[in-house]
Amino acid sequence: MSTGSLYIVATPIGNLKDITYRAVDVLKQVDIIAAEDTRHSRKLLDHYGIATKMMAVHDHNEADKITALLDVLNQGQSIALISDAGTPLISDPGYRLVRGVREQGGSVVAIPGPCAAIAALSIAGLPTDRFLFVGFLSAKQQARRAQLEQFANERATLVLYESPKRILDCIADAELVLGEDRTMALVKEITKTFETVRTGTGRQLRDWLLESDAHRKGEFVVLIEGVQDAGRVPSIDPSVLRALNLAHQSMPLKKACALVSELSGVAKNALYEAAIANSNE
């Protein structure tokens, strides 16, 4: 029995013209299109005259749909997996299905195309020789800050996705945890009429977001420059380090750094780096 193939098909992230000829051909020829949101994807399919049957496969039902989809493939039929926009599996569902197909020896074929993270990197003006895709941070402040703390000494450019309702909080927390002098970029409406790129410090970006309600609309890609010269411990007065050590005995390191920074004038991120370096000695 011949097993059908699973095609991972990238679709436009805004401009409907950003789709490959191959992607259109595959979407027309497969037996089923597994779409994150069938109503959303219908606009794209109608635009290209694609009448292939769709099935909804998203975060909430992926586990339940895997068996049915594998049965389709085992019957020799083919499936195309698409997300609402961009490349499937990049902060979107699908990896369980791909893993399931590969575990049973099936064929998984990439049909490459748009990806918001890569598109944003290409136009933001931040270093691209090394980057780390983070995706969406937690919606809860405490968890979000804890996640950001993991990247306090990361040299690579960080790439995040964020929704309009949390973009201000995200920038504020990134500024607090990673440092006020860290260069960031906001990229939104990629490939659309009002594609926008803003670069600056966290404070500058927050000021721009507050200038107009329109500035906070749309899905955002947030890019944060990595630590420069990581590993070089800043020269800090020993008395300041002693104060930091004492403060850290009664509170979390980040809070201790913020307190000592306010009292000493030494940057929070410099204090944090020095504390981490001392703890590793």
Side-chain angles (χ1 to χ4, degrees):
M1 179 176 64
S2 176
T3 301
S5 295
L6 172 65
Y7 295 90
I8 308 302
V9 183
T11 55
I13 54 178
N15 191 318
L16 290 180
K17 294 180 180 179
D18 290 332
I19 191 168
T20 66
Y21 293 121
R22 186 184 178 205
V24 173
D25 286 344
V26 167
L27 292 175
K28 287 182 176 180
Q29 294 170 10
V30 295
D31 296 288
I32 294 176
I33 295 174
E36 186 178 2
D37 184 332
T38 56
R39 292 171 299 178
H40 179 88
S41 296
R42 175 53 60 193
K43 179 180 179 181
L44 173 68
L45 301 189
D46 287 348
H47 183 81
Y48 286 99
I50 300 169
T52 307
K53 176 184 176 181
M54 280 195 290
M55 173 189 295
V57 179
H58 44 73
D59 274 332
H60 302 296
N61 74 355
E62 182 183 2
D64 295 331
K65 293 288 186 179
I66 289 177
T67 299
L69 291 169
L70 291 178
D71 286 344
V72 169
L73 294 172
N74 288 331
Q75 292 169 17
Q77 296 182 306
S78 56
I79 299 171
L81 177 67
I82 63 175
S83 62
D84 285 348
T87 301
L89 280 76
I90 308 302
S91 274
D92 283 320
Y95 88 88
R96 295 181 183 87
L97 175 60
V98 171
R99 183 173 60 185
V101 174
R102 290 209 167 277
E103 286 177 348
Q104 69 171 22
S107 171
V108 182
V109 183
I111 311 297
C115 174
I118 300 302
L121 273 166
S122 72
I123 61 176
L126 294 185
T128 58
D129 57 323
R130 184 186 303 176
F131 61 89
L132 175 63
F133 179 67
V134 178
F136 286 96
L137 295 175
S138 173
K140 297 182 179 180
Q141 185 183 74
Q142 185 174 355
R144 183 168 57 241
R145 290 180 178 178
Q147 289 172 327
L148 286 166
E149 286 182 0
Q150 298 175 24
F151 309 117
N153 294 308
E154 176 60 58
R155 296 193 67 180
T157 296
L158 302 177
V159 184
L160 291 69
Y161 288 164
E162 193 51 272
S163 68
K165 66 180 181 180
R166 288 194 294 270
I167 187 61
L168 276 168
D169 291 337
C170 175
I171 297 300
D173 286 341
E175 180 184 18
L176 174 68
V177 174
L178 302 178
E180 299 174 356
D181 57 347
R182 192 76 69 95
T183 300
M184 305 183 195
L186 291 179
V187 184
K188 69 169 195 154
E189 302 295 284
I190 304 176
T191 76
K192 299 180 183 179
T193 302
F194 298 105
E195 178 177 284
T196 302
V197 180
R198 300 290 299 194
T199 305
T201 63
R203 173 58 62 86
Q204 290 169 333
L205 295 181
R206 285 190 290 119
D207 287 345
W208 178 77
L209 288 167
L210 291 169
E211 283 179 4
S212 169
D213 290 344
H215 292 176
R216 299 188 298 279
K217 292 181 178 179
E219 297 299 318
F220 289 86
V221 181
V222 181
L223 302 102
I224 305 173
E225 188 174 27
V227 172
Q228 302 303 301
D229 297 321
R232 178 178 61 83
V233 180
S235 178
I236 298 175
D237 188 287
S239 63
V240 174
L241 291 177
R242 286 196 296 272
L244 178 59
N245 183 52
L246 289 171
H248 188 206
Q249 293 177 17
S250 59
M251 64 183 70
L253 180 56
K254 282 295 180 180
K255 288 186 177 181
C257 289
L259 174 62
V260 175
S261 174
E262 185 176 348
L263 295 173
S264 67
V266 179
K268 292 193 295 290
N269 57 331
L271 290 168
Y272 185 87
E273 290 174 22
I276 295 299
N278 289 336
S279 67
N280 292 331
E281 290 180 353

